């Protein structure tokens, strides 16, 4: 595949369907795509950002990073190498990543093996089984983060308890934050298809304090049951060495790689990112992980006790702008 080669319609469908299965904050799917020959631009869709929860666009770019990783996985499966340029065009800052595809000359990379996990991966917000994750699986997750130049910091009991205090404080404050509540109502709860998080995917309401984020807190969700969650889940903070827009994109690629490798071992995750959506608790989490790295995602990781529920996606054609 050289600079003048064009992707076939089938290839474009496969690559962009893979992209749309990426996780994104509140399932906003804040991406658009443009294709020129073998080059795919992934753009930030400003109509799908969250001014209250994510004013800097950090979380939106993490979601875009996850979509980029999915495109690389699908490209590897199709026999293409891929390379990435973050923020490639200063005149078009909405282009977050440019992906260059080329014919593969080396044996199938490990990314190709993750293709089968793209549709199996879901955020799981129910209780986890009381089952320890084997050390070799934890190593695979660490390797997946490192492959994208990120670090998974696993919390020990003391760090987890300090995180628990931070979570409780942020949850209490958020109950009175009209802007965030209003934004969550726009994207979360009820019956939904295409985007946002339906009530069915919120998981049960925690019967007592737990390491799980109840995204519906502050408004009615009448059909959800109550449950006691595990008290000591495996908790990890996904961190990057830098803090800039390119680091957020990398964090998203690392997040999705960790999640897909986890899925291949039937390990699921949910997120406790409320502590990263406000500057003071985020600084405290940064201290918690040693003060040097930048925390990008707080993850609860484990084996699901019950089947999870999907949040659906828009068709890829709805976010596909142009084909040059
Ligand atoms: C940057 C980012 C932040 C997220 N924060 C949270 C969170 O704090 N709590 C949560 O339950 N899910 C969180 N999620 C997961 C999304 O809600 C989820 O990916 C989206 O609803 C799509 O569902 P799926 O992951 O099941 O495909 C986050 C995802 C991303 C990419």
């Amino acid at each position: 595949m050289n600079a003048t080669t064009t992707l076939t319609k089938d290839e474009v469908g496969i690559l962009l369907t893979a992209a749309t299965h990426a996780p994104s904050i509140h399932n906003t799917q804040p991406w658009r795509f443009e294709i020129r020959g073998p080059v795919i631009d992934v753009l930030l869709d400003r109509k799908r950002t969250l001014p209250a929860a994510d004013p800097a666009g950090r979380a939106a770019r993490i979601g875009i990073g996850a979509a980029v990783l999915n495109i690389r996985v699908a490209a590897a499966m199709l026999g293409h190498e891929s390379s990435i340029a973050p923020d490639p065009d200063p005149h078009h800052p909405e282009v977050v990543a440019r992906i260059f595809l080329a014919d593969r000359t080396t044996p199938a990379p490990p990314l190709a093996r993750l293709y089968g996990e793209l549709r199996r991966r879901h955020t799981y917000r129910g209780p986890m089984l009381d089952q320890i994750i084997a050390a070799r699986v934890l190593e695979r997750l660490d390797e997946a983060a490192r492959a994208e130049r990120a670090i998974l910091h696993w919390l020990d009991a003391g760090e987890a308890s300090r995180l628990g205090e931070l979570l409780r404080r942020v949850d209490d404050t958020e109950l009175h934050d009209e802007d965030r509540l209003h934004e969550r109502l726009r994207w979360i709860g009820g019956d939904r298809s295409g985007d946002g998080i339906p009530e069915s995917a919120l998981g049960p309401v925690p019967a007592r304090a737990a390491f799980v984020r109840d995204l519906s807190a502050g408004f009615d969700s009448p059909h959800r049951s109550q449950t006691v969650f595990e008290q000591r889940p495996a908790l990890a903070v996904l961190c990057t060495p830098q803090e800039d827009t390119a680091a957020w994109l990398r964090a998203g690629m690392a997040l999705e790689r960790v999640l897909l490798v986890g899925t291949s071992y039937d390990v699921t995750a949910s997120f406790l990112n409320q502590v990263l959506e406000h500057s003071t608790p985020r600084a405290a989490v940064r201290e918690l992980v040693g003060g040097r790295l930048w925390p990008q995602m707080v993850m609860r990781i484990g084996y699901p006790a019950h089947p999870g529920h999907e949040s659906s996606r828009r068709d890829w054609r709805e976010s596909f702008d142009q084909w040059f």
Side-chain angles (χ1 to χ4, degrees):
M1 177 171 275
N2 57 44
T4 54
T5 315
T6 50
L7 294 162
T8 66
K9 272 193 182 148
D10 283 351
E11 282 182 315
V12 170
I14 289 169
L15 294 164
L16 299 191
T17 300
T20 61
H21 284 286
S24 59
I25 186 164
H26 297 4
N27 197 19
T28 46
Q29 303 163 44
W31 43 65
R32 285 166 33 219
F33 306 98
E34 291 179 2
I35 297 189
R36 209 175 319 103
V39 178
I40 303 175
D41 277 354
V42 189
L43 295 84
L44 175 68
D45 185 342
R46 290 198 187 277
K47 295 195 290 300
R48 296 183 156 269
T49 54
L50 302 177
D54 183 33
R58 187 180 67 82
R61 281 179 169 77
I62 292 176
I64 289 180
V68 168
L69 193 278
N70 282 5
I71 291 176
R72 288 170 54 203
V73 166
M77 182 279 293
L78 289 170
H80 304 312
E81 313 252 11
S82 54
S83 54
I84 312 295
D87 299 320
D89 187 346
H91 299 295
H92 294 105
E94 69 280 12
V95 183
V96 174
R98 181 160 290 162
I99 307 169
F100 300 90
L101 300 180
D103 284 336
R104 191 165 68 217
T105 50
T106 52
L111 277 182
R113 286 200 291 275
L114 296 176
Y115 186 75
E117 312 302 338
L118 291 180
R119 283 164 182 266
R120 291 186 65 229
R121 184 215 59 81
H122 300 292
T123 304
Y124 171 75
R125 300 186 183 85
M128 301 288 188
L129 290 177
D130 194 11
Q131 184 180 330
I132 285 174
I133 306 172
R136 70 187 171 82
V137 176
L138 296 179
E139 269 167 40
R140 293 290 98 77
L141 301 180
D142 286 340
E143 276 167 20
R146 278 200 304 271
E148 301 301 330
R149 289 184 245 156
I151 300 101
L152 265 186
H153 176 106
W154 296 89
L155 300 189
D156 63 25
E159 292 166 344
S161 132
R162 277 153 66 201
L163 176 72
E165 284 163 30
L166 290 171
L167 287 168
R168 274 189 288 283
R169 251 182 274 153
V170 174
D171 284 343
D172 286 349
T173 329
E174 286 206 338
L175 283 177
H176 309 287
D177 186 330
E178 293 287 328
D179 290 343
R180 278 165 203 260
L181 289 175
H182 191 71
E183 201 169 73
R184 292 225 294 266
L185 269 175
R186 151 85 177 84
W187 289 100
I188 299 170
D191 272 341
R192 294 170 184 270
S193 68
D195 56 14
I197 309 177
E199 188 176 287
S200 58
L202 290 176
V205 178
R208 56 179 147 98
F211 287 97
V212 66
R213 183 179 193 182
D214 182 4
L215 281 168
S216 81
F219 53 91
D220 273 351
S221 49
H223 306 296
R224 293 165 69 207
S225 57
Q226 275 206 355
T227 259
V228 176
F229 280 68
E230 74 283 358
Q231 287 302 295
R232 292 188 180 197
L235 295 166
V237 183
L238 181 76
C239 304
T240 50
Q242 274 92 34
E243 170 74 346
D244 53 25
T245 51
W248 299 341
L249 183 76
R250 284 238 152 259
M253 291 194 270
L255 168 72
E256 182 66 339
R257 195 158 179 156
V258 168
L259 293 174
L260 293 176
V261 169
T263 305
S264 72
Y265 290 97
D266 295 329
V267 167
T268 54
S270 73
F271 310 97
L272 302 156
N273 267 22
Q274 63 268 51
V275 284
L276 305 183
E277 291 170 11
H278 304 258
S279 56
T280 307
R282 187 169 182 227
V285 176
R286 191 167 182 229
E287 280 307 305
L288 204 64
V289 298
R292 227 171 20 89
L293 301 168
W294 292 91
Q296 306 293 357
M297 295 292 293
V298 178
M299 307 171 70
R300 176 184 70 121
I301 300 177
Y303 298 99
H306 307 293
H309 290 272
E310 295 184 17
S311 300
S312 67
R313 297 296 195 270
R314 293 175 298 152
D315 188 277
W316 64 269
R317 291 171 196 84
E318 289 183 38
S319 42
F320 181 46
D321 282 350
Q322 290 174 53
W323 195 333
F324 296 97

